[in-house]
Amino acid sequence: MNGFTILRSVQHYVGKIRTMRNEIRTRRLMNELPQSIRKDIGWPDNYDGRHGRGH
């Protein structure tokens, strides 16, 4: 492995961590909304179905 390959691997890993943190932050924010608003926008049903992830 050369330095460029290692750098790309690290960047990929950091990108995955950033994505996971953003998803967690989004879930937290959405779950803080009142139940009536979450129901109106279909949270979390629409989100989970679109991303194929259950919680």
Side-chain angles (χ1 to χ4, degrees):
M1 271 187 160
N2 63 22
F4 183 71
T5 304
I6 294 171
L7 178 62
R8 283 184 44 168
S9 296
V10 170
Q11 287 174 333
H12 180 73
Y13 179 72
V14 169
K16 288 183 107 173
I17 291 174
R18 184 175 293 135
T19 298
M20 288 172 47
R21 289 184 66 186
N22 286 340
E23 288 180 5
I24 291 168
R25 192 175 297 128
T26 298
R27 284 183 180 273
R28 226 180 261 146
L29 176 72
M30 297 299 283
N31 287 331
E32 290 175 0
L33 293 172
Q35 177 65 31
S36 60
I37 293 175
R38 285 185 284 163
K39 183 180 176 187
D40 287 345
I41 62 176
W43 178 261
D45 299 331
N46 287 342
Y47 181 83
D48 288 339
R50 190 175 70 213
H51 287 86
R53 298 178 187 155
H55 207 184

